Amino acid sequence: PGHTGTDYPDGHLRAMAHRTALNPGRDRAHSPGLGRSALHNPPSPHRRPRPPPRQGRRPLPLGPLARPKARALSSSSPSTPAAQQEPPPNQNQNQAKVRIAVVVPEQAPSHFRYPGAVSRPDPPTWTEVFQHLGSLLEWSEEGVELAVVEEGLDLDQEADVWLSVDADPAVAAALSSEKQNFLGLGRNATTTTNNKDVPPPSVGSTEETARQLFARKNADDLLYMVLVLVNDWVRDVPRVSMAKSKGFLGSLRLAYCMLGNCSKEVLDCVRDPTCKAALDCLQECGLNDQVCSYQCIVSYESPLFESFSQCVLQRHNCMRNFARVPDLPVVEPISQFRGEALTHEQAEDILVGWLGEERHSWKVVTGQNAAYDIFPNQHQVFYRGKRKGRFWYDPVFQARTFDGDLVWRKRHYRVRRGKVPGTFYFSVLDNGVVSDEYWRIADVAEDLSWALLYYAGAASAAGQSYTGAVFVSRDGKWPEARELGRVEAAHAKCGIKMWELFEVENYDCPDAPLDPLE
């Protein structure tokens, strides 16, 4: 349903919540000591979160009984401290460029796959995957460039980071012995320190973290893996360093902020079984594991958890986070529809889609974001409000909890027109954190049989920026084969390859809570 939730920056905040609650009556002058154990016990880079014991847990609502935990921001809502923050200076300005070289076998198939409706006999090659990753790097991190080197070509070139994927054993061995910053992935995995005299990478090490990100098999985590290597081996990458431990001084500031401003919310959360289960679950998620984080949130969301995150993250920004809505890639909306120049009213009608003939506007066929676009039975409901000029978006979707139950979740976005027809600004207060998004109608069939909606957004107080696209149709099914060429071109316009997509499980849902909230 687009971005339907907010991730939490790291395990540091969750650990601090527990330690703050252990000594609620402690004098503030002594509060800095509360954060030390969190610093020395970082979360595992990628462990599947374990649900807490059933005893004392509050049952989760099922089907239409599930109530929405996110609400739209009204135009009169005051700005929050997090939103008013000045952005941090660009630390990458005037820095030397970082060059990454990736060695792959010629025409070697990758572990990515095309959706079933896209008839391709072979998966994309690693050369194709990393060439695309080079474009993603240009859009996400200034000054970092990536070159793909196929085996048999010249390896005697300059690079700050060397990677190999499924490399020939002799090539991997040579790179391991000759290159300072080298990591081998896939078959014949090795590193510059992986030899008989040195033990394998430890849990939490750069190498282990990179391998676990690689194993998640999605483009976003592959991109993040490269940025982790740059951050740990070459220079600071803010979006990575902010997600890792902020050090001892950061622990002091976090403890002081939470105790001074949010002690009631922290105590209420850790004393409540459902809210504490959310914190425990998030504590187990690995670095940048958005899938794990959001599954924790949708499994254990509650009013107390919303109050906790709204106070600690949004209202007081105790984590000192900041994130901008990404500007790149530049995705232009459609300018014409049915042979005429697109107007704002027509653009809204496109979003409203099939509502009236169906209980929903659209159902999602595929999405690009591994965390937010993969839920079963994603319904999009766009509608005009009762007051003039009001427009709303209610994504309704199912989420699978750690108990294996399917629960309905619903969000409520305020939508405003952009300057150009076909562009929209979305805003929502989701589980206590504000998300702002910029949506565009990338393409749409004239008979409304399908549409592609691209979004870029940020939850600034959580330090999260994101992009994605949802491919939608009337019934959640792929259009006819003759449309697929245009569908692929529309995704390419958004900087998305078809092998990046996740297909959504769709079936009839008479119990879906699709009634508009206004």
Side-chain angles (χ1 to χ4, degrees), residues 370-381:
Y372 314 113
D373 297 339
I374 61 173
F375 295 106
N377 297 305
Q378 296 178 39
H379 301 76
Q380 294 187 324
V381 182

Side-chain angles (χ1 to χ4, degrees), residues 183-385:
L183 176 65
L185 298 166
R187 297 191 300 270
N188 305 312
T190 185
T191 67
T192 51
T193 60
N194 190 9
N195 56 53
K196 294 180 180 179
D197 301 320
V198 180
S202 61
V203 173
S205 68
T206 298
E207 295 88 347
E208 181 67 15
T209 298
R211 288 190 178 124
Q212 289 168 348
L213 288 165
F214 179 78
R216 293 180 194 166
K217 298 183 179 181
N218 70 75
D220 287 341
D221 280 317
L222 190 63
L223 172 66
Y224 198 80
M225 178 201 75
V226 172
L227 296 178
V228 166
L229 296 178
V230 173
N231 181 80
D232 290 3
W233 287 352
V234 186
R235 68 156 169 83
D236 180 70
V237 176
R239 65 179 286 190
V240 175
S241 58
M242 185 167 56
K244 293 191 171 185
S245 173
K246 297 179 183 291
F248 182 61
L249 290 179
S251 299
L252 303 185
R253 286 193 296 262
L254 178 58
Y256 187 81
C257 179
M258 292 176 67
L259 284 171
N261 299 298
C262 304
S263 58
K264 179 182 184 302
E265 289 80 2
V266 171
L267 288 169
D268 287 346
C269 183
V270 298
R271 289 170 176 171
D272 176 77
T274 302
C275 193
K276 185 177 182 298
L279 295 177
D280 291 340
C281 185
L282 287 164
Q283 177 73 16
E284 295 292 332
C285 291
L287 180 65
N288 198 53
D289 195 342
Q290 298 181 26
V291 176
C292 170
S293 296
Y294 197 53
Q295 191 176 5
C296 291
I297 292 170
V298 298
S299 294
Y300 304 117
E301 61 183 37
S302 67
L304 289 178
F305 181 77
E306 180 176 357
S307 297
F308 169 86
S309 56
Q310 186 171 10
C311 185
V312 173
L313 291 175
Q314 187 64 44
R315 192 155 59 239
H316 297 288
N317 196 16
C318 292
M319 298 295 291
R320 296 193 174 187
N321 289 326
F322 182 86
R324 294 182 177 89
V325 176
D327 296 322
L328 298 174
V330 176
V331 178
E332 298 293 343
I334 59 171
S335 58
Q336 290 196 329
F337 182 63
R338 294 176 177 170
E340 297 181 356
L342 183 72
T343 65
H344 286 291
E345 291 75 14
Q346 285 177 322
E348 289 179 350
D349 288 342
I350 290 171
L351 292 188
V352 172
W354 294 97
L355 185 64
E357 296 185 45
E358 305 282 356
R359 295 178 61 217
H360 56 264
S361 301
W362 301 94
K363 289 194 74 173
V364 177
V365 183
T366 66
Q368 183 263 341
N369 191 295
Y372 314 113
D373 297 339
I374 61 173
F375 295 106
N377 297 305
Q378 296 178 39
H379 301 76
Q380 294 187 324
V381 182
F382 291 95
Y383 56 98
R384 292 178 172 89

